[in-house]
Amino acid sequence: MKHNFLFHLANVTTEEMIFIQEITKDLNENQVRNFELVYTGKRRDPQHVLLFTILGFFGIAGIQRFVTNQMGMGILYFLTAGLCFIGTIVDLINYKSLANEYNHKMALESRHFVGMATV
């Protein structure tokens, strides 16, 4: 069954859409609605990750890592000025990967939550 709720989310990457469709294919409509509610509250827009990375480049380094629940890397970036700005520059290039990695984890967590709630 194909679900179209991802079209309501901002800046959904192709990888994210494929992943979400794969993990929700065996859910009924009510479960998909519940998944949507849980996932949209946890998901990070790749453009927001980019914005936080830019802010980190000019302000407090590591904000993008804190936003994506990478606390250890966030502290390391904060204490080392974004690993002397090299790590922050790499994150500027790879912001979509940071967002996709985080969103995949949150999608799996949301899927697990929906599965547990319906048992």
Side-chain angles (χ1 to χ4, degrees), residues 56 59-66 70-85 88:
I60 300 171
I63 295 173
Q64 73 279 10
R65 296 296 181 149
F66 287 113
Q70 298 177 356
M71 300 305 170
M73 287 297 287
I75 292 168
L76 181 65
Y77 274 44
F78 177 74
L79 295 175
T80 63
L83 299 175
C84 298
F85 296 105
T88 303

Side-chain angles (χ1 to χ4, degrees), residues 18-59:
I18 291 169
F19 185 74
I20 297 299
Q21 288 175 346
E22 181 64 30
I23 67 171
T24 60
K25 69 182 177 186
D26 61 335
L27 299 178
N28 63 40
E29 289 300 316
N30 189 41
Q31 290 172 318
V32 169
R33 279 193 301 274
N34 290 337
F35 173 84
E36 178 182 4
L37 289 172
V38 173
Y39 180 63
T40 55
K42 295 181 177 195
R43 178 185 180 273
R44 296 287 185 256
D45 184 334
Q47 296 300 315
H48 293 161
V49 173
L50 175 61
L51 177 63
F52 287 125
T53 306
I54 292 169
L55 289 173
F57 192 73
F58 294 108

